[in-house]
Amino acid sequence: MKLLRLSTQIHKWVALVIGLQVLFWVGGGLVMTAIPIETVRSEHRFQKPDYPAFSMNALIPMQTAAARLSAPIDKAELRHTPRGPAWVFTPKSGEPVILSALDGKPFAAFTRAEALRLAQAAYRGEAQAEKATLFDEAPRETGREGPLWRVDFNDFEHTSFYLSPETGEVVTRRSGVWRVYDFFWRLHILDFKNGENFNHPTLIIITILTLSMVVSGFILLWIKLARDWTVHQATRRKLAHKA
């Protein structure tokens, strides 16, 4: 009886406290499993655009381009971009430096019209790029820092491409589907700031409480099944005695 009373109290009060969160977990899990991750990432809306051709003989050697930098270089990469070949130098500390591989200079800023053109070239579908906005600081949803161009398309999913202001590459894709998914993901791990930390105390405490609710529920089920079995056996003996 003590075990029954204790289990009932634990199950009832814990369920009252965290029942809504458990509902969010289950509902969020359903959303995250029902929507294909490729759709969330807008992979069906992206295609690699045709890059302008160039001759390797026209490129500035890596050492020549790197000599113009003051910081020590940890990594160098030659990248083919929509605005031409680029040297991407990653210093030992700080942000990567991107220089044109044709003249060794930083890429000139491009216009809103060019942002729309570059984004449209990378888009797969019938929708049109209708709005381009330059952000001095990347929006939080991109998970990036520094300036970025955002180009919005008039499709059903409200797709947005984020472009590098130097190379015009699509560095991040977002959509209404992604934002719904991201909301449920943050709700799932209870990290509404960055959506990355699933080891914080709040989640651990709620998980422990949920485990106690499940364990107490199994105890209640075991007790009820044991009682039902006892009643069933008593009924059978009674009927057998009458017979």
Side-chain angles (χ1 to χ4, degrees):
M1 292 301 294
K2 289 183 178 180
L3 180 61
L4 175 62
R5 190 179 301 111
L6 178 62
S7 298
T8 302
Q9 293 298 319
I10 292 175
H11 192 78
K12 178 176 67 177
W13 290 107
V14 172
L16 182 63
V17 171
I18 67 167
L20 189 59
Q21 180 58 39
V22 173
L23 177 63
F24 288 154
W25 277 342
V26 176
L30 175 61
V31 169
M32 290 186 288
T33 54
I35 303 176
I37 192 63
E38 294 80 10
T39 302
V40 174
R41 296 171 178 166
S42 297
E43 293 181 7
H44 63 301
R45 293 301 182 196
F46 177 76
Q47 62 183 0
K48 191 173 181 179
D50 293 330
Y51 293 158
F54 64 90
S55 171
M56 292 296 294
N57 295 328
L59 302 186
I60 290 180
M62 179 191 68
Q63 294 82 354
T64 303
R68 304 182 182 185
L69 305 177
S70 57
I73 301 302
D74 189 55
K75 178 183 176 183
E77 176 188 1
L78 179 62
R79 185 182 299 172
H80 203 176
T81 80
R83 301 187 75 200
W87 282 112
V88 181
F89 297 104
T90 304
K92 293 185 179 298
S93 61
E95 296 297 316
V97 178
I98 302 175
L99 302 176
S100 170
L102 296 177
D103 59 15
K105 298 178 181 179
F107 284 94
F110 55 83
T111 64
R112 181 171 282 101
E114 188 173 3
L116 292 170
R117 181 183 64 80
L118 291 171
Q120 190 71 59
Y123 182 84
R124 179 186 294 140
E126 300 299 324
Q128 297 298 311
E130 61 178 6
K131 182 182 178 182
T133 306
L134 177 60
F135 291 91
D136 293 330
E137 185 61 35
R140 179 183 294 181
E141 72 174 11
T142 64
R144 294 174 176 269
E145 297 180 354
L148 282 179
W149 277 96
R150 169 175 161 169
V151 177
D152 300 319
F153 294 87
N154 57 0
D155 58 13
F156 176 75
E157 298 147 12
H158 301 288
T159 304
S160 299
F161 283 179
Y162 285 94
L163 278 62
S164 163
E166 291 93 4
T167 65
E169 295 171 289
V170 177
V171 296
T172 303
R173 303 180 297 268
R174 296 292 181 257
S175 68
V177 177
W178 182 92
R179 294 177 185 104
V180 169
Y181 187 97
D182 183 62
F183 170 78
F184 279 101
W185 168 252
R186 291 171 186 266
L187 194 63
H188 200 73
I189 66 173
L190 296 176
D191 179 12
F192 297 98
K193 184 177 181 181
N194 299 316
E196 298 177 354
N197 184 11
F198 48 87
N199 297 113
H200 56 85
T202 302
L203 183 60
I204 294 173
I205 291 172
I206 291 182
T207 304
I208 292 174
L209 290 175
T210 304
L211 178 62
S212 68
M213 184 182 72
V214 172
V215 171
S216 62
F218 274 117
I219 293 174
L220 292 174
L221 177 63
W222 176 75
I223 292 175
K224 183 170 189 314
L225 290 176
R227 283 183 171 182
D228 290 346
W229 178 253
T230 301
V231 171
H232 174 69
Q233 290 294 92
T235 302
R236 287 186 61 184
R237 286 195 297 268
K238 186 176 181 181
L239 292 175
H241 180 70
K242 288 182 179 182

